[in-house]
Amino acid sequence: MATTIADVFKSFPVHIPAHKNLDFDSLHELPDSYAWIQPDSFPTHKHHNSILDSDADSVPLIDLSLPNAATLIGNAFRSWGAFQVINHGVPISLLQSIESSADTLFSLPPSHKLKAARTPDGISGYGLVRISSFFPKRMWSEGFTIVGSPLDHFRQLWPHDYHKHCEIVEEYDREMRSLCGRLMWLGLGELGITRDDMKWAGPDGDFKTSPAATQFNSYPVCPDPDRAMGLGPHTDTSLLTIVYQNNTRGLQVLREGKRWVTVEPVAGGLVVQVGDLLHILTNGLYPSALHQAVVNRTRKRLSVAYVFGPPESAEISPLKKLLGPTQPPLYRPVTWTEYLGKKAEHFNNALSTVRVCAPITGLLDVNDHSRVKVG
Ligand SMILES: O=C(O)CCC(=O)C(=O)O
Ligand SMILES: [Fe+2]
């Protein structure tokens, strides 16, 4: 069985021809292969207008310096599986630097970017996002995944100034890891969970051995955005994902299984999303956020997703403190590596493959993503 996250990708190679159609600038009309038929179960709100929104319909914006931040985080995780955070302590200059690295990378000529192409059984590198293989249509985006050191790939991309970009990525990893740890404990603290309940977070509870991936995403301007899709609907496998987006709309979160709500870009803000493993850990109390990214005609969009998981050997199962006679465990124990394999095979149905019991309330399970269909 795969023991590292890199092994999982070796076991589930994805053959997406990265050499084809990644020259978006040359496409002046939307090729049929990119023309999405919208998921028929949910109306999409591509031209979502914030003026029409009531406050209750916006992804919560939380100021982490407030004394009641933990309560706000708990509420947001419970009802949205997502929120946007400001005053998070990550230097704005670092966010600008990582955006600039991503921008420089995606602005390289296509043939140059392909020098750092991800191999079919590889985890890191440039190409279409892995989830592309689950959708019948192509996505209007390109990505660059970093797991471990980006040194080899960055040397290919920038023979002269790879150092600078490596340092930015390393600092980003340090800052994001620390923020993820902080947010995990604030959110779990609201459920009465302490460090003693989660020994795998390390002796200091600092998640030091947790692997993470940094994913750069680029959504070029699109000649026909209403018929295209930047990144199809999905949940992340992580415990938490933190998304930095430039000042261009695109990220949408599914609200109450019904409506897509745009996460309005806020200067210096970071979007925090519950991943499937935090969903399992909290026995579904904090549902993983189904999200997607749409594109637009005039502005290129960039995002950087920090995908944070548990140590590879940690068995993630519903926390004992959250269980009781009327709260049976809904999921069996699973490691991140095993779960990544489930995701690679079953994609948005992966959670149901580790479910052992239906929610006792008999209510509609908001995380039953088998309902999301394309085409
Ligand atoms: O571009 C975005 O805002 C979302 C990115 C995302 O969902 C991902 O990389 O998993
Ligand atoms: Fe995502």
Side-chain angles (χ1 to χ4, degrees), residues 4 21 29 64 74 77 94 99 114 117 129 135-136 162 168 181 184 191 206 235-236 275 287 301 349 374:
T4 69
N21 293 353
E29 275 181 24
L64 203 52
F77 274 165
L94 178 61
E99 179 182 334
L114 287 170
V129 290
F135 295 97
Y162 59 89
I168 292 168
M184 282 287 291
L191 300 177
D206 57 5
T235 57
D236 293 353
R301 178 168 183 271
N349 292 325
V374 178

Side-chain angles (χ1 to χ4, degrees), residues 129 131 214-219 230-232 234-236 241 243-246 248-252 263 271 273 291-294 301-307:
V129 290
I131 66 169
T214 301
Q215 170 74 26
F216 293 174
N217 297 301
S218 158
Y219 306 90
L231 197 57
H234 67 282
T235 57
D236 293 353
T241 299
V243 178
Y244 169 73
Q245 53 178 342
N246 71 349
T248 305
R249 295 162 148 198
L251 176 60
Q252 300 183 323
V263 187
V271 185
Q273 293 171 327
H291 54 282
Q292 65 181 14
V294 296
R301 178 168 183 271
L302 289 171
S303 72
V304 181
Y306 188 78
V307 182

Side-chain angles (χ1 to χ4, degrees), residues 327-344:
Q327 289 94 18
L330 303 182
Y331 302 95
R332 70 167 174 81
V334 66
T335 61
W336 196 12
T337 50
E338 187 192 353
Y339 191 69
L340 277 167
K342 298 279 179 208
K343 199 78 169 183

